[in-house]
Amino acid sequence: MYMLRYLLLFVLLMSGLSAYGQSHLSRVIEDFDAGWRFIQDDDLEDGHEIDLDDSEWRLLNLPHDWSIEGPIDRDNPTGRGGAYMPCGIGWYRKEFTIPAEAQGRKIFIDFDGVMANSKVWLNGQLLGERPFGYIGFRYDMTDKLNYGGKNIIAVVTDTYDQPASRWYTGAGIYRHVRLVMTDKIHFDNWGIFITTPEVTEVTGKVKIENTLVNETDKVAEVVIKTAISLVVEPDKLVMELQSNGSIPAGGSELMTQEGFIKNPALWSIDNPNLYLATSMILIDGLIVDTQTNIFGVRSFEFKADSGFWLNGENIKIKGVCLHHDGGAVGAAVPKRVWQRRFEKLREIGCNAIRTSHNPMSPEFLDLCDEMGFVVMDEVLDTWRARKNNADYGYQHHFNKWWYADNRDTVLRDRNHPSIILYSAGNEIRDDLSSPAGFATFKGIYDLFKKYDPTRPVTQGVFRPNQSKVYDSGYAELMDVVGQNYREEELVAAYKARPSRKVIGTENGHGRDAWLVLRDNPFMAGQFLWTGIDYLGEADWPDISWSNACIDRIGNIRPMGYQRMSWWSDKPMVSIARKEVASGGAGSSIKGGETVSHWTPRDYDTYDQATVEVYSNCETVELFINDKSLGEKAMPQDASPVSWDLAYTQGVLKAVGKNGGTPAAQYESRSAEYPVAINMVTDRKQIAHDFDDVSHVEISFVDANGVECPWAEKPLKFEVTGPGRIVAVDNGDPTYHDSFQGNKCRTYQGRCLVIIAATADEGKIILKASTRGMDSASVKIEVAN
């Protein structure tokens, strides 16, 4: 949606707006990602000086996370929280020109996220600073520019003091940057707020609050026009609004528009329809500013007795918590990386995401809108009290920056239809039941309501029976009471006061936790910790959390398939086998890791198998080499069914049945010795765009084409044509090699290569090779 927003704006400016009046020097948005110089130097102090020679600095394009480049080292100060990645001070510089004709206009620079403790200078003059690395910010460059001549912008990022976070943050200008040029009369930044206060299937009321800024010395008489269409049909208007008003000299004005869309296409989880609002300011018939916003028409509410309702439908929130890294790409995550991950989450039945524990990128939330995930939008992990492994964390900035960081998150995010909750914090260690705790929450709560009164507010409360939040009255401050883990405590809190609306804000993967949600109508939902493995919060030799439904490279674990059996509405069945450790020659013991295949590590010692079958069907029948091992009914308590059987090579198959009729099937074949490399790409065509990449999954197969899950061999990669390797990974929690090299060893039989384009057209060929086998390759077309 990042590129879509500005493409739609360009198309409308070039074609559709002529119907509303003659275009003046309207808003211009320029991608500012390309052509930056970078150096990592802890001792450099004058990187902002105009005359500094940066010719030896590295030339690169943004977004850029320099920490993910490594090396991974146990002695790196980031420690367990930072995945043992490097930290320090990074400098970025860029030379650019602004035409002389632009003088008299307003010119801003927008950063979507800089990690961390950033300072920005223009031509040697400080524009500002921002310690918090997760929220975007804007600086006004108008009065400091050299029009028609050379300009130097410099940015310093500082992650030197460690440990600063409980999870991997990345380092650098890791999100997009833009230049924005407007008239002196313009919409304020994040100044258009669109809500749908009344929604039915036959009509949807749309309310648009426009904040306009007048930076001239005269009162401005303006006309506001808004054109609304479906995103998929931008040239077919469904509603037009017009308002007249005045903006005081040197001031701002809020102008509200309201209208109704007939038979609206509602935004929902299954059908996430989106609308495009193109807003224009006209003076004497000339368009002086234009802005586009994406929104959805939908209604939602939380009820104490029945949980969450969306467009009049009672829905269980089946959510996961996600951190902001994309695995091997670090914090600079292409949109397609998130899209592929969301596809995997949707496959297991997930319909909700908690942004743990900070604002995500704009593209992340765009995808939630586009793909139909509801969102708990969380801002902070810390107030004033420190947390373990975060000695230099946000607690040092809270008093000065809490208001700006929460405010800007709400202003930036409030038009996203996916967002249904704001969170005031995660497992806050401050004394919540004290007067200071009450006052802090109330301050954040009131801020949320000031800038967006349409969303309820919650919090991921930590050990509430110890903090006494259910007894002190603190829980009643929340619109929806949120609690992490200890699900039975939350049930008891509800039963003690049934007027409470409740939700599990962080939950384990166990069956008991799921049954609390499934069997209690008042429970609105849960968010698993976590949906996908993330970097950090792991003790050496591990570098990543590894107890998620999906691993770093996108493989669904057995626990993910079990979750699918609980969450998915589609008939499914899956097999999980207990891999058995050798107990001596010719013997074995039950236990060990659980895997989703029928290939033991050692055929000679593996003689007895324990198999679990996950399914949402009524019954399951198990077969070995087409011989039935019996049919069993799936238990009502969400347990799997299991079989103990003598191990036999061949095909293990499970068939799920409803009403005696097969509805789903899963089979796994035992593999022989690996003889070939197998490569599969998720995209055979990509664009020359940071946010578009192709994921190439690589494995070894035997002579029958069966994947060999225990083949762990080194692979070397070579790219020809207009492409580059963005990252390599194998999902191993103990992976210590470079994520950005051209080599990777398979782990549990697999590895992943992420490819990006380096030109607008051509053919990329990725070749993989290893000793003793023929090389293999895939082709990826580049076309914009």
Side-chain angles (χ1 to χ4, degrees):
M1 192 66 76
Y2 172 78
M3 293 303 297
L4 176 61
R5 290 180 189 273
Y6 303 116
L7 177 61
L8 287 169
L9 176 57
F10 177 79
V11 171
L12 288 163
L13 285 173
M14 296 297 103
S15 58
L17 296 184
S18 58
Y20 296 94
Q22 182 180 353
S23 182
H24 181 53
L25 291 175
S26 189
R27 179 175 298 240
V28 175
I29 301 173
E30 178 184 340
D31 184 332
F32 210 57
D33 286 344
W36 289 76
R37 295 280 181 177
F38 169 75
I39 190 171
Q40 197 280 306
D41 188 338
D42 294 344
D43 298 320
L44 181 63
E45 297 180 354
D46 60 353
H48 61 285
E49 297 293 339
I50 298 176
D51 297 328
L52 180 76
D53 181 6
D54 60 13
S55 60
E56 297 299 318
W57 292 21
R58 178 175 159 198
L59 182 64
L60 52 77
N61 297 333
L62 306 177
H64 175 235
D65 172 11
W66 66 261
S67 183
I68 198 65
E69 297 171 2
I72 299 169
D73 191 316
R74 186 175 186 175
D75 293 330
N76 278 333
T78 53
R80 73 184 306 273
Y84 305 93
M85 293 290 186
C87 57
I89 297 173
W91 283 92
Y92 297 82
R93 287 167 61 94
K94 180 170 179 172
E95 180 179 329
F96 66 102
T97 59
I98 298 292
E101 295 78 14
Q103 197 154 10
R105 307 202 70 207
K106 296 295 295 182
I107 301 177
F108 307 93
I109 187 166
D110 288 353
F111 292 88
D112 283 344
V114 183
M115 188 64 67
N117 301 299
S118 66
K119 293 182 180 180
V120 181
W121 291 264
L122 176 62
N123 297 328
Q125 302 178 72
L126 183 67
L127 292 177
E129 61 181 314
R130 196 69 175 245
F132 194 47
Y134 294 103
I135 187 61
F137 52 88
R138 163 175 287 187
Y139 293 132
D140 185 348
M141 303 195 299
T142 307
D143 297 334
K144 295 179 175 64
L145 285 165
N146 178 19
Y147 293 90
K150 182 177 76 171
N151 294 277
I152 299 291
I153 189 163
V155 181
V156 66
T157 70
D158 185 351
T159 58
Y160 184 86
D161 290 329
Q162 295 290 337
S165 175
R166 299 186 300 120
W167 61 88
Y168 179 78
T169 64
I173 309 177
Y174 71 104
R175 293 181 183 167
H176 291 291
V177 183
R178 294 171 300 281
L179 285 188
V180 180
M181 184 184 301
T182 72
D183 192 88
K184 288 187 175 181
I185 298 169
H186 57 89
F187 292 106
D188 200 4
N189 189 33
W190 302 319
I192 298 177
F193 181 27
I194 306 174
T195 58
T196 55
E198 300 172 19
V199 176
T200 68
E201 291 184 355
V202 297
T203 187
K205 182 179 181 180
V206 179
K207 180 181 179 181
I208 305 175
E209 298 178 54
N210 303 282
T211 301
L212 290 76
V213 177
N214 178 4
E215 300 192 56
T216 73
D217 57 2
K218 296 180 181 179
V219 174
E221 302 295 332
V222 301
V223 176
I224 304 299
K225 293 186 176 182
T226 302
I228 295 178
S229 63
L230 281 165
V231 165
V232 295
E233 298 177 319
D235 57 345
K236 185 178 179 180
L237 299 184
V238 299
M239 186 172 70
E240 301 174 69
L241 301 171
Q242 178 172 320
S243 306
N244 300 338
S246 300
I247 315 174
S252 63
E253 187 69 21
L254 177 66
M255 296 178 61
T256 301
Q257 299 174 301
E258 293 183 348
F260 291 86
I261 298 176
K262 294 181 180 179
N263 302 315
L266 301 184
W267 185 93
S268 67
I269 290 170
D270 294 327
N271 296 288
N273 298 294
L274 294 170
Y275 283 89
L276 169 70
T278 303
S279 305
M280 295 152 274
I281 303 174
L282 294 88
I283 299 177
D284 298 329
L286 298 177
I287 300 170
V288 298
D289 196 18
T290 305
Q291 221 184 73
T292 61
N293 284 280
I294 308 294
F295 72 99
V297 179
R298 51 93 177 103
S299 65
F300 75 89
E301 62 179 320
F302 288 84
K303 296 182 179 181
D305 62 344
S306 53
F308 178 66
W309 293 75
L310 179 63
N311 299 327
E313 180 183 359
N314 192 198
I315 295 173
K316 286 290 189 184
I317 294 173
K318 303 169 184 176
V320 299
C321 302
L322 293 178
H323 275 312
H324 82 139
D325 75 86
V329 298
V333 188
K335 182 178 179 180
R336 172 57 193 160
V337 170
W338 280 124
Q339 185 181 41
R340 176 176 177 265
R341 288 174 161 221
F342 285 8
E343 290 166 354
K344 300 280 187 178
L345 289 170
R346 180 52 50 87
E347 184 179 346
I348 68 172
C350 175
N351 64 16
I353 294 170
R354 176 193 184 197
T355 65
S356 310
H357 306 286
N358 45 260
M360 296 295 198
S361 70
E363 299 79 44
F364 184 101
L365 294 176
D366 287 343
L367 275 173
C368 293
D369 294 342
E370 294 165 17
M371 298 180 69
F373 289 89
V374 295
V375 174
M376 173 178 161
D377 199 8
E378 191 160 67
V379 185
L380 299 176
D381 185 52
T382 307
W383 291 355
R384 297 180 181 89
R386 71 173 288 278
K387 289 184 174 180
N388 291 333
N389 303 296
D391 296 347
Y392 297 93
Y394 190 80
Q395 66 270 18
H396 298 289
H397 306 293
F398 181 86
N399 286 338
K400 181 177 180 180
W401 287 99
W402 74 267
Y403 193 94
D405 292 334
N406 281 279
R407 176 200 64 203
D408 290 353
T409 300
V410 175
L411 289 174
R412 187 198 69 169
D413 295 351
R414 59 188 179 173
N415 287 332
H416 288 281
S418 56
I419 294 174
I420 58 167
L421 279 168
Y422 291 124
S423 169
N426 171 64
E427 297 187 353
I428 299 301
R429 296 302 203 268
D430 302 51
D431 183 357
L432 299 181
S433 293
S434 70
F438 271 65
T440 300
F441 179 87
K442 189 64 165 54
I444 297 174
Y445 180 94
D446 290 347
L447 180 152
F448 285 150
K449 296 297 183 179
K450 175 180 178 180
Y451 295 106
D452 180 2
T454 71
R455 267 90 169 189
V457 179
T458 188
Q459 182 176 340
V461 173
F462 179 67
R463 298 178 183 173
N465 284 353
Q466 292 183 18
S467 57
K468 307 298 182 184
V469 298
Y470 294 137
D471 301 323
S472 67
Y474 185 94
E476 275 52 64
L477 299 177
M478 292 179 270
D479 296 320
V480 180
V481 178
Q483 178 182 315
N484 290 5
Y485 306 104
R486 303 189 180 198
E487 291 79 13
E488 292 297 341
E489 289 184 15
L490 185 57
V491 170
Y494 170 81
K495 291 181 177 179
R497 187 167 297 182
S499 61
R500 289 169 171 157
K501 304 168 185 178
V502 295
I503 189 169
T505 43
E506 188 171 313
N507 302 91
H509 294 269
R511 183 169 57 91
D512 290 345
W514 159 241
L515 292 177
V516 169
L517 175 60
R518 189 196 72 173
D519 296 342
N520 290 289
F522 56 84
M523 286 290 295
Q526 292 179 344
F527 293 89
L528 299 180
W529 193 266
T530 58
I532 303 173
D533 287 356
Y534 59 92
L535 295 174
E537 204 159 9
D539 292 317
W540 188 269
D542 287 8
I543 64 162
S544 66
W545 181 269
S546 56
N547 189 35
C549 294
I550 301 169
D551 71 14
R552 286 200 315 262
I553 64 173
N555 296 317
I556 299 177
R557 289 192 171 99
M559 64 192 300
Y561 286 111
Q562 182 174 44
R563 183 61 50 172
M564 187 189 301
S565 74
W566 299 337
W567 278 2
S568 180
D569 295 326
K570 299 177 182 179
M572 65 78 61
V573 63
S574 181
I575 298 171
R577 178 179 60 84
K578 295 291 183 68
E579 179 64 24
V580 178
S582 173
S587 64
S588 60
I589 59 171
K590 293 182 180 180
E593 61 188 302
T594 303
V595 297
S596 297
H597 56 76
W598 193 232
T599 304
R601 286 184 182 270
D602 186 346
Y603 285 117
D604 292 335
T605 61
Y606 192 90
D607 50 17
Q608 193 73 17
T610 297
V611 171
E612 291 183 343
V613 179
Y614 311 127
S615 181
N616 54 12
C617 297
E618 295 170 359
T619 64
V620 171
E621 186 173 7
L622 191 69
F623 297 83
I624 181 69
N625 296 327
D626 292 328
K627 178 183 178 181
S628 177
L629 300 181
E631 185 173 341
K632 297 184 180 182
M634 294 301 300
Q636 294 301 304
D637 66 357
S639 298
V641 291
S642 63
W643 279 264
D644 288 322
L645 63 151
Y647 180 79
T648 304
Q649 287 184 245
V651 180
L652 184 70
K653 180 174 68 174
V655 177
K657 300 179 183 180
N658 289 325
T661 301
Q665 179 175 306
Y666 183 97
E667 69 175 42
S668 181
R669 297 174 179 267
S670 52
E672 300 292 343
Y673 188 78
V675 299
I677 302 169
N678 186 53
M679 304 177 72
V680 178
T681 179
D682 67 335
R683 285 205 169 180
K684 295 182 180 180
Q685 179 175 305
I686 59 175
H688 182 204
D689 184 317
F690 171 85
D691 284 307
D692 197 7
V693 296
S694 180
H695 298 79
V696 183
E697 300 175 357
I698 304 172
S699 61
F700 291 99
V701 295
D702 67 11
N704 297 313
V706 178
E707 184 175 322
C708 302
W710 303 118
E712 299 191 352
K713 295 177 176 293
L715 285 161
K716 184 176 181 180
F717 309 110
E718 180 182 347
V719 175
T720 56
R724 65 182 179 92
I725 295 174
V726 176
V728 298
D729 193 7
N730 62 14
D732 183 357
T734 64
Y735 184 89
H736 298 157
D737 296 327
S738 172
F739 286 122
Q740 299 193 339
N742 65 343
K743 299 177 182 179
C744 188
R745 186 179 186 88
T746 54
Y747 173 69
Q748 295 185 345
R750 297 178 179 178
C751 69
L752 179 72
V753 181
I754 301 176
I755 297 292
T758 57
D760 291 343
E761 59 182 17
K763 182 182 295 182
I764 303 169
I765 297 177
L766 173 66
K767 184 174 77 171
S769 59
T770 191
R771 179 176 294 183
M773 292 185 192
D774 291 339
S775 63
S777 63
V778 292
K779 297 178 182 179
I780 303 166
E781 298 288 340
V782 181
N784 281 349

Coordinates of all heavy atoms in Angstrom, one line a residue, residues 112-140:
D112 N 9.8 7.3 8.3 CA 8.9 6.4 8.9 C 9.4 5.7 10.1 O 8.7 5.1 10.9 CB 8.5 5.3 7.8 CG 7.5 5.9 6.8 OD1 6.9 6.9 7.1 OD2 7.4 5.2 5.7
G113 N 10.7 5.7 10.3 CA 11.3 5.1 11.5 C 12.8 5.1 11.5 O 13.4 4.7 10.4
V114 N 13.5 5.5 12.5 CA 14.9 5.6 12.6 C 15.3 5.0 14.0 O 14.9 5.5 15.0 CB 15.5 7.0 12.5 CG1 17.0 6.9 12.5 CG2 15.0 7.7 11.2
M115 N 16.2 4.0 14.0 CA 16.6 3.3 15.2 C 18.0 3.6 15.5 O 18.9 3.2 14.8 CB 16.4 1.8 15.0 CG 16.6 0.9 16.3 SD 15.4 1.3 17.5 CE 13.8 0.7 16.8
A116 N 18.3 4.2 16.6 CA 17.4 4.9 17.6 C 18.1 6.2 18.0 O 19.3 6.4 17.6 CB 17.2 4.0 18.8
N117 N 17.5 6.9 18.9 CA 18.2 8.1 19.4 C 18.7 9.0 18.3 O 19.8 9.5 18.3 CB 19.3 7.8 20.4 CG 18.8 7.0 21.6 OD1 18.0 7.4 22.3 ND2 19.3 5.7 21.7
S118 N 17.9 9.2 17.3 CA 18.3 9.9 16.1 C 18.4 11.4 16.3 O 17.6 12.0 17.1 CB 17.4 9.6 14.9 OG 16.1 10.1 15.2
K119 N 19.3 12.0 15.5 CA 19.3 13.5 15.3 C 19.5 13.7 13.8 O 20.2 13.0 13.1 CB 20.5 14.1 16.1 CG 20.3 14.0 17.6 CD 21.5 14.7 18.3 CE 21.4 14.6 19.8 NZ 22.5 15.3 20.5
V120 N 18.8 14.8 13.4 CA 18.8 15.1 11.9 C 19.3 16.5 11.8 O 18.7 17.4 12.4 CB 17.4 14.9 11.3 CG1 17.5 15.2 9.8 CG2 17.0 13.4 11.5
W121 N 20.2 16.8 10.8 CA 20.7 18.1 10.5 C 20.5 18.4 9.0 O 20.6 17.5 8.2 CB 22.2 18.2 10.8 CG 22.6 18.2 12.2 CD1 22.9 19.3 13.0 CD2 23.0 17.0 13.0 NE1 23.3 18.8 14.2 CE2 23.4 17.5 14.2 CE3 22.9 15.7 12.7 CZ2 23.8 16.6 15.2 CZ3 23.3 14.8 13.7 CH2 23.7 15.2 15.0
L122 N 20.2 19.6 8.7 CA 20.1 20.1 7.3 C 21.1 21.2 7.2 O 20.9 22.3 7.9 CB 18.7 20.5 6.9 CG 18.6 21.1 5.5 CD1 18.9 20.1 4.5 CD2 17.1 21.6 5.3
N123 N 22.0 21.1 6.3 CA 23.1 22.1 6.1 C 23.7 22.6 7.4 O 23.9 23.8 7.6 CB 22.4 23.3 5.3 CG 21.9 22.9 3.9 OD1 22.5 22.0 3.3 ND2 20.9 23.5 3.5
G124 N 24.0 21.6 8.2 CA 24.7 21.9 9.5 C 23.8 22.4 10.6 O 24.3 22.6 11.7
Q125 N 22.5 22.6 10.4 CA 21.6 23.1 11.4 C 20.7 21.9 11.9 O 20.1 21.2 11.1 CB 20.7 24.2 10.8 CG 21.5 25.4 10.3 CD 20.6 26.5 9.7 OE1 19.9 27.2 10.5 NE2 20.7 26.6 8.4
L126 N 20.6 21.8 13.2 CA 19.8 20.7 13.7 C 18.3 20.9 13.5 O 17.7 21.9 13.8 CB 20.0 20.7 15.3 CG 19.3 19.5 16.0 CD1 19.9 18.2 15.6 CD2 19.4 19.7 17.5
L127 N 17.7 19.9 12.9 CA 16.2 19.9 12.7 C 15.5 19.3 13.9 O 14.4 19.8 14.2 CB 15.9 19.1 11.4 CG 16.3 19.6 10.1 CD1 15.9 18.6 8.9 CD2 15.7 21.0 9.8
G128 N 16.1 18.3 14.5 CA 15.4 17.7 15.7 C 16.0 16.4 16.0 O 16.9 15.9 15.4
E129 N 15.4 15.8 17.1 CA 15.9 14.5 17.6 C 14.7 13.7 18.0 O 13.6 14.2 18.3 CB 16.8 14.7 18.8 CG 16.2 15.4 20.0 CD 17.2 15.6 21.1 OE1 17.9 14.6 21.4 OE2 17.3 16.7 21.7
R130 N 14.9 12.4 18.0 CA 13.8 11.5 18.4 C 14.4 10.2 19.0 O 15.0 9.4 18.2 CB 12.9 11.1 17.2 CG 11.6 10.5 17.6 CD 10.7 11.5 18.2 NE 9.3 11.0 18.5 CZ 8.2 11.5 17.9 NH1 8.3 12.5 17.0 NH2 7.1 11.0 18.3
P131 N 14.3 10.0 20.3 CA 14.9 8.8 20.8 C 14.2 7.5 20.4 O 14.8 6.5 20.1 CB 14.8 9.0 22.4 CG 14.6 10.5 22.5 CD 13.9 10.9 21.3
F132 N 12.9 7.5 20.4 CA 12.0 6.3 20.1 C 12.2 6.0 18.6 O 11.9 6.8 17.7 CB 10.6 6.7 20.4 CG 9.7 5.5 20.5 CD1 10.1 4.3 21.2 CD2 8.4 5.5 19.9 CE1 9.2 3.2 21.3 CE2 7.6 4.4 20.0 CZ 8.0 3.3 20.7
G133 N 12.6 4.7 18.4 CA 12.9 4.3 17.0 C 11.8 3.8 16.2 O 11.9 3.5 15.0
Y134 N 10.6 3.6 16.8 CA 9.5 2.9 16.1 C 8.4 3.8 15.5 O 7.6 3.2 14.7 CB 8.8 2.0 17.2 CG 9.7 0.9 17.7 CD1 10.3 0.9 18.9 CD2 10.0 -0.2 16.9 CE1 11.1 -0.1 19.4 CE2 10.8 -1.3 17.3 CZ 11.3 -1.2 18.6 OH 12.1 -2.2 19.1
I135 N 8.4 5.1 15.7 CA 7.3 5.9 15.2 C 7.9 6.9 14.2 O 9.1 7.3 14.3 CB 6.5 6.6 16.3 CG1 5.3 7.4 15.6 CG2 7.4 7.6 17.0 CD1 4.3 6.5 14.9
G136 N 7.2 7.2 13.1 CA 7.6 8.1 12.2 C 7.6 9.6 12.7 O 6.9 9.9 13.7
F137 N 8.3 10.5 12.0 CA 8.3 11.9 12.4 C 8.6 12.7 11.1 O 9.1 12.3 10.1 CB 9.3 12.1 13.5 CG 10.7 11.6 13.2 CD1 11.7 12.4 12.5 CD2 11.1 10.3 13.6 CE1 12.9 11.9 12.3 CE2 12.4 9.9 13.4 CZ 13.3 10.6 12.7
R138 N 8.3 14.0 11.3 CA 8.4 15.0 10.2 C 9.2 16.2 10.7 O 9.0 16.6 11.8 CB 7.0 15.4 9.7 CG 7.0 16.7 8.8 CD 5.7 17.0 8.2 NE 5.4 16.1 7.1 CZ 4.3 16.2 6.4 NH1 3.4 17.2 6.6 NH2 4.1 15.4 5.4
Y139 N 10.1 16.7 9.8 CA 10.8 17.9 10.1 C 10.5 18.9 8.9 O 10.4 18.5 7.8 CB 12.3 17.7 10.2 CG 12.7 16.9 11.4 CD1 13.6 15.9 11.3 CD2 12.1 17.2 12.7 CE1 13.9 15.1 12.4 CE2 12.5 16.5 13.8 CZ 13.4 15.4 13.7 OH 13.7 14.7 14.8
D140 N 10.3 20.2 9.3 CA 10.1 21.2 8.4 C 11.5 21.8 7.9 O 12.2 22.3 8.7 CB 9.3 22.4 9.0 CG 8.9 23.5 8.0 OD1 9.5 23.5 6.9 OD2 8.0 24.3 8.4

